[in-house]
Amino acid sequence: MSDIPKDKFVILFDGVCNFCNFWVNFIIDRDKNDKFRFASLQSELGQETLSKLKLSQTDFDTFILLDGENHFTSSSAGLRVARELGGFFGLLYIFIIVPPFIRNGVYSLIATNRYRFFGREEACRIPTPETRKKFLG
């Protein structure tokens, strides 16, 4: 995981999921302080990271937030991203007090059905020249 910058939050996401790509674009548009970098779970970096973290390299029903040596998944990752975006989104972090089994249950329901609800692409997104620097691997 040597290509992962230590001074940025790194989001590993399902690169063929339309819903996931929507959220990546959402975060990029609101990342005013350039805190985030992105890589698909299907990329070499994504696969290497999943292997090192001993997570499934084929089941992409969550995204992963890397924060230095720590990693977060599911609703915990989403709430931490919201906190880092700040403003109104930062207020959503209050939901961290909801027990994880409830938060992750809702998250899992959406994640399990995301292709059916939102569709999927045949390949990972190609970043524009303006956003290319935000993508790793």
Side-chain angles (χ1 to χ4, degrees):
M1 296 191 317
S2 59
D3 292 345
I4 297 176
K6 301 294 183 214
D7 63 334
K8 302 290 182 190
F9 295 95
V10 177
I11 295 174
L12 301 176
F13 66 100
D14 182 351
V16 299
C17 168
N18 287 338
F19 188 61
C20 304
N21 280 298
F22 167 83
W23 286 109
V24 167
N25 290 328
F26 182 92
I27 294 165
I28 288 171
D29 290 346
R30 288 155 183 82
D31 184 18
K32 303 303 181 205
N33 295 318
D34 195 34
K35 293 181 177 185
F36 295 97
R37 294 296 179 263
F38 304 87
S40 74
L41 290 162
Q42 294 90 341
S43 70
E44 185 177 323
L45 178 64
Q47 289 291 295
E48 176 187 324
T49 304
L50 289 170
S51 176
K52 183 170 181 170
L53 296 174
K54 297 185 180 4
L55 298 172
S56 172
Q57 292 177 264
T58 57
D59 178 16
F60 302 138
D61 282 352
T62 188
F63 79 99
I64 300 166
L65 176 66
L66 303 175
D67 178 6
E69 296 298 316
N70 299 313
H71 75 278
F72 304 93
T73 61
S74 305
S75 65
S76 294
L79 291 171
R80 281 173 166 58
V81 168
R83 179 179 65 185
E84 292 305 320
L85 287 175
F88 167 76
F89 304 107
L91 298 175
L92 296 173
Y93 192 72
I94 189 75
F95 289 107
I96 201 76
I97 65 171
V98 174
F101 76 92
I102 295 172
R103 287 187 281 118
N104 291 336
V106 173
Y107 183 97
S108 182
L109 179 66
I110 296 168
T112 301
N113 294 292
R114 70 192 185 284
Y115 294 145
R116 186 169 23 151
F117 295 157
F118 305 103
R120 67 184 292 167
E121 298 295 325
E122 294 302 315
C124 294
R125 71 177 267 151
I126 306 291
T128 65
E130 299 82 38
T131 60
R132 185 171 302 282
K133 70 176 179 133
K134 290 194 170 274
F135 287 84
L136 308 171

